[in-house]
Amino acid sequence: MTVHIGPLRREDLKRCAEMEAELFAGDDPWSEPAFAAEIDAGHHYVGAYAEGELIGYAGIALLVGPPQAEAEVHTIAVHPDWQGNGIGKALLLDLLAHVAQVNATVFLEVRTDNEPAIALYERQGFEKLGVRKRYYQPSGADAFTMRRTPTAESRTA
């Protein structure tokens, strides 16, 4: 089945919130209005679609413009039935391509126990900067802060 990455549709925001509740139940999942606020703010949000059905989503915000642009990955999520099929990578690559236009350094946080996501980020040139203790609430899980500099683009695969 072919998966298409495209702009996140407003009609999919309810589904985003449902997937958030399933995937991030212990860590204050985003609501439908939270997703709407991100889109309304002009941030880059995309969905992964299989036969028109939303199976994943991702978003990034440009925090500082050129000449020293910085961006932050807000979220990447793939429905459990679709994980392990390269969809998370495709979503991440879309986000990175979007901010590459301004040569942005990209930051993100990821749970320290999310080994598949950490491995994905490292393969795309992200490096761990440090640990944010009890970053995710209410679970209290720690997060790595990671950074990808524009020069890391040559390492992506």
Side-chain angles (χ1 to χ4, degrees):
M1 183 176 299
T2 302
V3 174
H4 165 73
I5 306 295
L8 188 62
R9 306 175 304 207
R10 282 200 171 275
E11 60 264 27
D12 292 322
L13 300 185
K14 180 178 180 185
R15 180 71 182 125
C16 288
E18 292 168 355
M19 287 190 344
E20 279 277 311
E22 181 178 352
L23 293 166
F24 308 113
D27 290 320
D28 193 23
W30 286 22
S31 64
E32 185 176 347
F35 281 101
E38 293 299 317
I39 291 171
D40 291 345
H43 300 310
H44 181 72
Y45 273 69
V46 294
Y49 299 93
E51 296 184 3
E53 179 185 344
L54 182 73
I55 58 170
Y57 53 87
I60 193 166
L62 186 62
L63 304 175
V64 178
Q68 295 178 332
E70 292 185 3
E72 180 179 52
V73 173
H74 284 175
T75 187
I76 296 179
V78 176
H79 190 278
D81 292 346
W82 289 87
Q83 291 177 2
N85 292 301
I87 297 166
K89 178 181 177 181
L91 288 164
L92 177 61
L93 291 177
D94 181 279
L95 300 183
L96 296 175
H98 180 74
V99 298
Q101 300 170 28
V102 293
N103 214 26
T105 297
V106 181
F107 295 89
L108 60 79
E109 279 81 28
V110 60
R111 283 178 65 117
T112 57
D113 61 356
N114 190 343
E115 294 176 15
I118 294 165
L120 168 65
Y121 300 143
E122 289 178 337
R123 284 192 306 271
Q124 298 309 316
F126 282 87
E127 61 183 342
K128 295 175 189 165
L129 296 179
V131 176
R132 291 186 175 203
K133 294 289 188 184
R134 301 187 52 74
Y135 179 78
Y136 292 100
Q137 296 298 320
S139 72
D142 296 341
F144 286 123
T145 297
M146 299 184 80
R147 175 185 64 201
R148 180 181 187 266
T149 61
T151 57
E153 291 177 32
S154 62
R155 292 185 288 196
T156 61

